């Protein structure tokens, strides 16, 4: 493809510096938003990215802003302990049930609660430990409950357009309507949950 152009070099160097900044953010207490804005400013000041370029991607930019707001709201609710409290209250209400019933109920509730999360990591940190603890106390085999929650933490990412960061590609493309994304996401998640319950559950119990 030939030698890299000036703009390509600037983009590559900026990208490497930003990723390095994000990696070192925790130990050096760097602000992630500040790093992102600094990278954007660098690209705009150098002329790699112009206002016209941003204007052409108006729909995508709106989607990113929308996702950022939802992510921020979800993160704040999680940090304030609201999501953990909701999950704990729902889970505690299932104590005393036969373990197969508690197992199915806990898994379904865990999956449906992702409607309130933008990040998969946020839900895992807030709820996985709580649900695992309640499941074990209800008599569910620990390896079964753990695998069920871990697998669910992957496939429930498509339940909403904001359920996982990768969904931004489908949202921004405009290929599917918002209603279609919700419908297909819920259908796909329900199918994966059913497959895990019908096939995955007996397999894990047999292997374990």
């Amino acid at each position: 493809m030939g030698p890299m152009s000036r703009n390509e070099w600037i983009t590559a160097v900026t990208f490497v510096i930003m990723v390095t900044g994000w990696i070192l953010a925790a130990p050096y207490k760097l602000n992630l938003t500040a790093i992102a804005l600094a990278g954007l400013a660098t690209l705009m000041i150098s002329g790699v990215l112009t206002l016209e370029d941003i204007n052409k991607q108006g729909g995508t930019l709106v989607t990113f802003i929308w996702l950022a707001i939802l992510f921020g709201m979800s993160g704040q609710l999680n940090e304030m302990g609201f999501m953990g409290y909701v999950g704990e209250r729902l889970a505690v209400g299932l104590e005393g049930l036969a373990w197969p019933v508690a197992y199915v109920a806990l898994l379904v509730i865990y999956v449906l609660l992702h409607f309130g999360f933008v990040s998969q990591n946020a839900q895992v940190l807030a709820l996985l430990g709580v649900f695992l603890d309640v499941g074990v106390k209800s008599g569910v085999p620990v390896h079964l409950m753990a695998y069920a929650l871990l697998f669910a933490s992957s496939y429930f990412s498509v339940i909403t357009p904001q359920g996982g960061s990768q969904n931004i590609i489908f949202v921004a493309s405009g290929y599917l309507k918002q209603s279609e994304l919700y419908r297909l996401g819920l259908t796909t998640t329900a199918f994966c949950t059913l497959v895990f319950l019908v096939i995955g559950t007996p397999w894990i119990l047999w292997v374990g």
Side-chain angles (χ1 to χ4, degrees), residues 34-203:
I35 296 172
L37 290 176
L40 176 62
T42 301
L43 295 179
M44 295 191 70
I45 292 173
S46 62
V48 175
L49 187 65
T50 65
L51 290 176
E52 184 179 350
D53 294 327
I54 296 176
N55 185 55
K56 289 179 180 178
Q57 301 298 325
T60 304
L61 183 60
V62 169
T63 301
F64 272 107
I65 293 174
W66 168 72
L67 183 64
I69 293 172
L70 289 174
F71 187 88
M73 292 174 61
S74 176
Q76 284 300 309
L77 288 172
N78 185 35
E79 288 181 13
M80 294 172 66
F82 177 77
M83 292 298 188
Y85 172 78
V86 172
E88 187 174 358
R89 297 310 303 169
L90 288 171
V92 169
L94 298 173
E95 291 183 349
L97 297 176
W99 79 257
V101 177
Y103 163 69
V104 174
L106 284 168
L107 178 59
V108 172
I109 292 173
Y110 182 76
V111 170
L112 291 178
L113 279 176
H114 197 59
F115 272 105
F117 286 88
V118 175
S119 165
Q120 294 162 263
N121 292 337
Q123 178 161 342
V124 169
L125 292 173
L127 300 182
L128 191 144
V130 175
F131 275 67
L132 179 60
D133 182 58
V134 174
V136 172
K137 289 180 179 178
S138 299
V140 183
V142 62
H143 65 291
L144 174 62
M145 195 75 249
Y147 275 119
L149 296 174
L150 288 172
F151 276 107
S153 299
S154 177
Y155 63 70
F156 68 21
S157 65
V158 300
I159 198 169
T160 62
Q162 70 275 7
S165 58
Q166 70 280 358
N167 297 357
I168 192 69
I169 299 173
F170 300 104
V171 175
S173 69
Y175 182 74
L176 295 172
K177 297 179 181 178
Q178 196 82 303
S179 58
E180 293 176 320
L181 287 167
Y182 276 101
R183 177 170 52 81
L184 292 173
L186 181 60
T187 302
T188 303
T189 304
F191 175 76
C192 290
T193 305
L194 183 62
V195 169
F196 186 87
L197 287 172
V198 175
I199 300 176
T201 297
W203 171 261

